[in-house]
Amino acid sequence: MLRQFSESGHDVTVVPTEAALRFVGAATWEALSGKPVSSSVFADVPSVQHVRLGQQADLVVVAPATANVMANAAHGLSDDLLTATLLTARCPVVFAPAMHTEMWEHPATRENVATLRARGAVVLEPASGRLTGADSGPGRLPEAAEIFAAAVEVLRRGAAAQHTDLAGRSVVVSAGGTREFLDPVRYLGNRSSGKQGYALARTAAARGADVTLVAANVTMPDPAGVKVVRVESTTELRDAVHAAARSADAVVMAAAPADFRPLSRSQYKIKKRTETQLTTVELTENPDILAELGSSSGTAGGSRRRVLVGFAAETGDDEATVLEHAREKLARKGCDLLVVNDVSGGAVFGADDNEAVILRRGGGEVRVDRSPKAALAHVVWDCVLQCWDAES
Ligand code: CTP
């Protein structure tokens, strides 16, 4: 992660704790960062490091953030250079927790995390999985790439990052492409990478929303700070989205669910010799999740209406333009917003950039020129916010 920051042009100072130096020595940190490293406020006293570091930083990332560091930070204790820096910092702070599940779930840690978040710090959700010992559960340090992405997102939004305009909102995002199994090893699938859905989940979490991400066959690591439900088929996706949508203020269907599935799924691997099964695959239609949600005019907790966002990849033809087809789809599926990709030039899969037109129910559109998927995601959330504001 240190390399990712310095290689992308950031000036990084490492502030280890005494405990951290037991794992990785100061010499390694100095070699990697190209700067002297100290854990004590008594090192380099004339430059008053513990004040200067915090004052000059644009971002402080605490990774791994132990239960102890977060407890100190929440209570303003400052007995080493890291905690002193946290007290003097006026920039955004990102904590990437790592500890045993019991410590993460302890009421003391829960309260400390709540205190830090209430003060504007970004405390990522730890990953779930194998911990230092034989145990496993939530408490694992999020993947370095995830911490880096979250930190860059906070930096990119600058002061706005502290302005968590989606706080108190619960949102559901679906991502990826479903698989419809013929037998235990074969499936019908599609090439959706899930990148746009993950960008939507990440940006919503960065803006303070409570995010559930329903991910269909996405190979990327779980975005930090997001509840992830992993599914394979359209039926599983549908169940997970409907369950999460009940208490949601917005549902964004960025996933590519298969419209059809094999009529039957063989319990055993289909053998070549059972020719009839291989030459003809009978299909049956899957439910249209977006249309179901659109027709059930949901109301989230309280009186706020649920905002529904669909995605559509369209081409123009002899009968209608891309946007005419898209307007018809928006109305047919009962969405509030439809994010339209023009794929007349051929669909692009797995790209990091996207360009789109966001159509609003009742007229109006927002054009987003080719830009990173995170940038499009922010515009989608801006439009969702406008829908909520129009309601109130
Ligand atoms: N979608 C869904 N359930 C499905 C299929 C699609 O919820 N079974 C959602 C996608 O997540 C996306 C939007 O519907 O938000 C995309 O619709 P699209 O596949 O373009 O719509 P179709 O109904 O297949 O339209 P077309 O007539 O163009 O095939």
Side-chain angles (χ1 to χ4, degrees):
M1 190 170 42
L2 170 55
R3 277 221 180 88
Q4 276 176 302
F5 276 113
S6 43
E7 282 172 7
S8 54
H10 299 95
D11 177 20
V12 187
T13 303
V14 180
V15 183
T17 57
E18 271 301 312
L21 291 177
R22 292 194 195 188
F23 292 94
V24 181
T28 307
W29 293 123
E30 290 181 351
L32 286 173
S33 66
K35 285 189 192 171
V37 153
S38 159
S39 61
S40 160
V41 287
F42 296 109
D44 192 13
V45 172
S47 77
V48 205
Q49 265 211 92
H50 65 289
V51 179
R52 186 178 48 82
L53 280 175
Q55 283 174 338
Q56 291 180 349
D58 297 308
L59 178 72
V60 179
V61 180
V62 187
T66 60
N68 185 52
V69 162
M70 289 198 291
N72 279 324
H75 292 91
L77 300 175
S78 57
D79 58 358
D80 63 4
L81 188 56
L82 173 62
T83 45
T85 301
L86 285 171
L87 262 191
T88 51
R90 291 295 174 269
C91 58
V93 180
V94 175
F95 291 91
M99 64 196 75
H100 285 275
T101 305
E102 291 79 1
M103 297 170 98
W104 174 248
E105 288 175 348
H106 194 283
T109 308
R110 307 308 317 143
E111 277 179 28
N112 291 334
V113 169
T115 302
L116 293 170
R117 282 181 175 155
R119 287 193 199 127
V122 177
V123 183
L124 305 177
E125 285 298 306
S128 211
R130 187 77 193 267
L131 302 171
T132 332
D135 50 344
S136 68
R140 244 173 99 93
L141 183 69
E143 296 282 336
E146 273 306 319
I147 303 171
F148 178 70
V152 168
E153 183 55 33
V154 170
L155 265 182
R156 207 182 63 78
R157 292 183 63 75
Q162 312 256 55
H163 174 58
T164 45
D165 55 359
L166 301 185
R169 303 289 189 171
S170 167
V171 304
V172 180
V173 177
S174 70
T178 60
R179 291 177 182 175
E180 308 299 332
F181 282 86
L182 289 154
D183 68 15
V185 295
R186 303 184 182 94
Y187 59 83
L188 305 175
N190 63 70
R191 293 171 59 194
S192 173
S193 68
K195 283 184 181 174
Q196 186 62 66
Y198 270 49
L200 281 154
R202 235 183 245 123
T203 48
R207 288 167 71 162
D210 180 2
V211 186
T212 301
L213 172 63
V214 184
N217 311 297
V218 181
T219 51
M220 286 178 281
D222 291 357
V226 165
K227 181 177 173 227
V228 182
V229 183
R230 291 199 174 261
V231 298
E232 288 195 314
S233 66
T234 297
T235 310
E236 289 170 5
L237 181 77
R238 172 181 186 250
D239 291 348
V241 168
H242 278 300
R246 267 179 223 124
S247 56
D249 297 298
V251 179
V252 181
M253 284 295 297
D259 286 326
F260 298 93
R261 65 176 183 278
L263 189 58
S264 63
R265 174 180 174 165
S266 167
Q267 196 187 342
Y268 307 104
K269 188 178 169 202
I270 300 168
K271 298 289 179 204
K272 237 183 290 182
R273 60 177 185 279
T274 55
E275 261 171 40
T276 47
Q277 278 171 292
L278 274 187
T279 49
T280 313
V281 177
E282 241 185 298
L283 299 174
T284 182
E285 201 165 346
N286 271 328
D288 187 321
I289 306 162
L290 186 62
E292 285 177 346
L293 290 166
S295 65
S296 68
S297 70
T299 309
S303 58
R304 290 197 298 252
R305 199 174 53 81
R306 193 172 60 205
V307 171
L308 185 60
V309 185
F311 272 70
E314 297 286 348
T315 59
D317 54 29
D318 296 342
E319 280 164 27
T321 63
V322 167
L323 291 187
E324 283 164 353
H325 278 304
R327 277 244 163 256
E328 182 277 324
K329 188 171 286 181
L330 180 143
R332 173 163 47 90
K333 298 211 182 194
C335 323
D336 298 280
L337 299 165
L338 190 72
V339 184
V340 188
N341 291 123
D342 181 344
V343 291
S344 305
V348 180
F349 296 97
D352 291 323
D353 292 346
N354 205 350
E355 68 180 310
V357 177
I358 304 170
L359 299 184
R360 289 198 186 91
R361 185 214 289 267
E365 61 191 53
V366 180
R367 203 164 281 274
V368 183
D369 292 333
R370 182 155 293 282
S371 43
K373 287 184 169 171
L376 173 60
H378 276 300
V379 183
V380 170
W381 292 123
D382 291 343
C383 292
V384 170
L385 262 176
Q386 284 166 5
C387 292
W388 285 326
D389 288 347
E391 290 282 313
S392 55

